[in-house]
Amino acid sequence: MIKTVSTNPYGDQKPGTSGLRKKVPAFQQKNYAENFIQSIFDSLEGFEGQTLVIGGDGRYYNREVIQKAIKMAAANGFGRVLVGRGGILSTPAASNIIRKYKAFGGIVLSASHNPGGPTEDFGIKYNVGNGGPAPEKVTDAIFARTKVIDSYKIAEVADVNLDLESSHQVENMTVTVIDPVADYAELMESLFDFAAIRKLIAGGFRVVFDAMSAVTGPYAKEIIERRLGAPKGSVMNFIPLPDFGGHHPDPNLVHARALYETMMAPHAPDFGAASDGDGDRNLIIGKGIFVTPSDSLAMLAANAHLAPGYAKGLAGIARSMPTSGAADRVAEKLGIGLYETPTGWKFFGNLLDEGLATICGEESAGTGSNHVREKDGLWAVLLWLNILAVRKESALDIARKHWATYGRNYYSRHDYEEVDTDAANGLIAALRDKLASLPGKSFGALAVANADDFSYNDPVDKSVSKNQGIRILFKGGSRVVYRLSGTGTSGATLRVYIERFEADSARHDLDTQAALGDLIAVADEIAEIKKRTGRDAPSVIT
Ligand code: G16
C-alpha cells in the first residue's frame, strides 16, 4: 500500500559541494531523510516507469536509508531500482551503472572521505542520467523544495533483502539486487592493458592498496588481487566497515600516514595507493615519492595514450581552479584545450558530455575521465599501473622526467578545520573588499599581478557560477587561493592553496613547505588568517 505522510520542512537541507551532508543523528530525525529524498523526486520530471540506481559506501545508516529510498521510489512511480548487493556501490561504480543501464538517475549515499559511525557523517547525493552529480540548477531546485515540503510518499512493505542477488516486486516497481563489482571491473578491463600490468606484477613489482575499511575493498580485491594477480594481502583494510574501523577514510598524508611511511621506508613496495570512503578519491605514492593530486593529473594526462582506452589521445584536460597549473603545460604541449572550472566534479559534466575534455582532475585527490561522470580512485591507480608497466620506470623517475620537461609546480594546501563560521565568512568578506587594492602591491619579493574572485562561464550551457574562490596571482606565476569548503559538517573549513612554479630542474628536489615558505607567510599576511581564526597553524597540510 502507498501511504502519503504529512511532514514539515527542516529548513537546513542545503546540498553542499557534493549533496547533503550532516551528522547521522540529524538524518535520524523523524522524516529528515524522507524529506530530502521526496524533495529530490519532486524536483525531477518524467521518471515514471524509469530506472533508479541506489547504493552507498556502506557507512553507518546506509542500509536504513536504502530501504527508505526503495520504498519511496516505488511510491513515486519509478519502474525499476538497481541496488548494489549489501547496499554497496562506490560512487564511480554507481555512475557507471547509471550510464550502462540507461537509468534516469541515482541516489548515492555517502559522506565521501568524512568519518562514519553513529555520531559521524552521512550524506545523500543525487546523480543525473549522464551518471554525474546533479548540476546546480537541480540542487537549487531540491533545496527550494526542502523548504516547503509538506508530505512524502512511501510504500508500506517489508524491507528488501539486500544481501542476495535477486529481484523483488515492490508495488509496481522491480528491485534488482546486483553485483556491485562486476560491471565496474569489466569497464576497467576495457580501458587498461591488464595483460601488461599482470606481467609487471608477476615479475615481482610490489603494489599495496589501502582501501581504508571503505567501499573500494571489494573492487580492489577483485581487480588488483584476482584479475591482476597481486599476492593476497596486497589490498589492505578491504572489508567495508560502517565506521571505517574508527578511521577517517581520507586518503591524504595525515589519514593514510601508515601507507606513506611504508612507501618511504628502505624496502618499500614499488607502488602504494589508497582510496576514500566512497571510492572516488585517490592517493598515489611511488617508492620514495608522494605524487600530489595536481601533479598526478598532469602526469596521467601526459602518459594516458599508453593505455588502450586513451590510445587515440585526449580531447582536452579540465581541472578545478585551485588545482595547480601543472596540467596546463601538458595541454599546451599536446595542443589541446585546458578548462578551468570551479571546485566540484559536477562542473566537469558538460565538458565530458560535449567531448571537450577527456581527463579531469582536482587538487582534492580526484582524478577521472570520460569513462564515467565521477572522479574515480581505482581508475587513477590502474592508469598509473598501466603507465608504469609500459614505461618500465619507477614513479619517481617518471615524476623527475616530467618536471624536467614541463617544470615543477610546488604545491600545498593548508586546511583550517572547524573554524568559527562567522570568523571564516568575515575573512573571505574582508579579502573580497581588498581585491581591487592588491594588484601592484609588493610583499617582499612577491608582487601581486592580479587578484579576483573566480567566476566560471560554462562554455556549454552558458551558466555563470560566481564567487568560487579568491585568487591572488603574483608576477612569475606564483599563486595563493582561498576558499571555504563545501563538504564539512561542523563549523567552517578554510582552505588555502599555495603554488609556485619552478622551471629550473636543479631546484626540483626542494622540500615543498620550504619552497613555498615566503608565499605561506604572505598568504597569512594578506588574509590575516592567524588573527581572524585564532589558529597558529593549519589543522591539515597536504
Ligand atoms: C567533493 C566534490 C569534489 C570537490 C570536493 C571539494 O568531493 O565531489 O569534486 O573537489 O568536494 O571539497 P571541499 O568543498 O571540501 O573543498 P567528495 O570526495 O567529498 O565528494
Side-chain angles (χ1 to χ4, degrees):
M1 208 183 73
I2 292 171
K3 198 168 128 189
T4 301
V5 182
S6 297
T7 186
N8 291 310
Y10 274 91
D12 64 346
Q13 297 191 309
K14 187 168 173 52
T17 318
S18 211
L20 179 68
R21 286 192 191 161
K22 297 277 179 197
K23 297 284 175 206
V24 166
F27 275 100
Q28 287 170 327
Q29 297 171 92
K30 191 164 179 240
N31 299 341
Y32 190 91
E34 289 87 342
N35 274 9
F36 192 72
I37 294 168
Q38 187 66 50
S39 297
I40 295 174
F41 295 156
D42 288 349
S43 309
L44 307 174
E45 268 173 27
F47 56 76
E48 287 72 21
Q50 303 279 316
T51 300
L52 182 71
V53 173
I54 303 180
D57 63 9
R59 70 178 57 226
Y60 189 89
Y61 211 46
N62 192 49
R63 283 174 178 260
E64 287 84 346
V65 178
I66 285 186
Q67 296 291 353
K68 291 179 201 277
I70 290 173
K71 293 172 192 175
M72 290 180 67
N76 278 273
F78 277 93
R80 178 168 75 147
V81 154
L82 299 177
V83 57
R85 192 185 55 239
I88 291 286
L89 278 180
S90 77
T91 289
S95 182
N96 178 45
I97 302 279
I98 294 171
R99 295 168 66 77
K100 183 165 177 181
Y101 297 100
K102 306 206 168 4
F104 186 85
I107 289 183
V108 183
L109 306 175
S110 170
S112 188
H113 52 288
N114 294 357
T119 56
E120 297 294 354
D121 292 0
F122 191 77
I124 304 182
K125 180 169 80 151
Y126 180 68
N127 281 29
V128 292
N130 75 351
E136 262 180 347
K137 62 174 190 305
V138 178
T139 51
D140 287 349
I142 296 171
F143 181 45
R145 185 68 197 150
T146 63
K147 291 197 267 190
V148 294
I149 186 164
D150 57 7
S151 69
Y152 65 86
K153 283 194 221 140
I154 190 157
E156 283 197 298
V157 289
D159 284 358
V160 168
N161 181 350
L162 296 174
D163 296 309
L164 278 183
E165 280 165 48
S166 53
S167 285
H168 311 259
Q169 199 64 27
V170 178
E171 300 292 345
N172 292 325
M173 186 182 87
T174 312
V175 179
T176 305
V177 180
I178 58 170
D179 178 339
V181 175
D183 294 291
Y184 179 83
E186 187 185 295
L187 175 65
M188 292 301 114
E189 204 149 0
S190 75
L191 295 172
F192 301 118
D193 188 346
F194 272 34
I197 305 174
R198 247 194 319 267
K199 202 169 151 205
L200 177 79
I201 291 173
F205 183 96
R206 284 197 298 144
V207 183
V208 286
F209 179 87
D210 187 352
M212 303 191 89
S213 307
V215 80
T216 49
Y219 297 85
K221 268 263 168 204
E222 172 64 26
I223 297 171
I224 297 176
E225 292 189 5
R226 285 194 203 101
R227 299 198 186 197
L228 294 172
K232 260 205 166 127
S234 303
V235 177
M236 296 156 25
N237 303 315
F238 58 87
I239 298 173
L241 300 174
D243 66 349
F244 308 115
H247 299 297
H248 205 119
D250 190 351
N252 63 26
L253 296 185
V254 174
H255 299 297
R257 193 74 204 167
L259 178 68
Y260 177 77
E261 274 158 15
T262 304
M263 294 307 299
M264 297 300 141
H267 300 291
D270 296 286
F271 187 75
S275 189
D276 71 330
D278 63 331
D280 57 2
R281 297 185 174 210
N282 70 83
L283 170 71
I284 302 292
I285 316 181
K287 188 192 282 190
I289 180 177
F290 157 60
V291 184
T292 69
S294 294
D295 269 352
S296 182
L297 170 65
M299 292 168 194
L300 291 178
N303 292 284
H305 60 281
L306 301 176
Y310 307 93
K312 293 199 185 101
L314 309 178
I317 307 173
R319 64 162 173 84
S320 67
M321 180 276 283
T323 303
S324 95
D328 303 25
R329 281 185 306 283
V330 174
E332 199 183 336
K333 186 153 186 217
L334 293 173
I336 57 176
L338 184 284
Y339 300 87
E340 188 176 33
T341 62
T343 294
W345 204 262
K346 60 188 168 202
F347 292 101
F348 295 137
N350 283 342
L351 301 171
L352 295 166
D353 284 352
E354 283 301 304
L356 296 171
T358 310
I359 281 191
C360 308
E362 296 189 281
E363 52 65 39
S364 54
T367 338
S369 86
N370 58 356
H371 68 291
V372 289
R373 292 295 180 273
E374 289 278 6
K375 53 192 186 276
D376 189 343
L378 264 172
W379 171 91
V381 173
L382 294 169
L383 180 50
W384 262 103
L385 287 173
N386 194 144
I387 292 165
L388 291 163
V390 175
R391 285 189 52 167
K392 302 187 172 61
E393 292 169 292
S394 68
L396 183 60
D397 286 342
I398 289 176
R400 289 217 167 109
K401 287 185 185 168
H402 186 95
W403 294 329
T405 308
Y406 298 95
R408 177 169 184 185
N409 289 68
Y410 283 101
Y411 186 86
S412 181
R413 186 175 98 183
H414 289 198
D415 294 333
Y416 297 80
E417 293 174 340
E418 295 188 35
V419 169
D420 175 73
T421 307
D422 290 340
N425 289 333
L427 181 149
I428 295 289
L431 269 173
R432 268 193 198 116
D433 289 344
K434 241 185 224 181
L435 284 175
S437 69
L438 288 172
K441 265 201 184 151
S442 286
F443 298 84
L446 291 162
V448 178
N450 207 353
D452 68 0
D453 193 348
F454 182 61
S455 172
Y456 178 61
N457 301 317
D458 187 302
V460 180
D461 67 18
K462 311 292 176 209
S463 60
V464 179
S465 303
K466 292 189 174 153
N467 302 329
Q468 297 294 325
I470 308 280
R471 303 191 285 190
I472 308 208
L473 306 160
F474 297 92
K475 290 197 178 128
S478 292
R479 188 176 78 147
V480 175
V481 171
Y482 307 85
R483 63 177 277 281
L484 299 182
S485 156
T487 59
T489 53
S490 40
T493 295
L494 169 69
R495 304 207 192 284
V496 185
Y497 312 80
I498 305 133
E499 175 178 358
R500 178 164 88 80
F501 178 65
E502 178 60 68
D504 179 0
S505 56
R507 298 176 56 79
H508 284 168
D509 278 325
L510 307 177
D511 170 77
T512 298
Q513 298 305 313
L516 298 172
D518 53 350
L519 279 161
I520 292 169
V522 169
D524 179 53
E525 186 180 340
I526 295 180
E528 303 176 310
I529 302 172
K530 290 194 179 112
K531 190 173 131 201
R532 287 176 176 273
T533 64
R535 299 291 173 81
D536 278 343
S539 345
V540 178
I541 295 181
T542 45

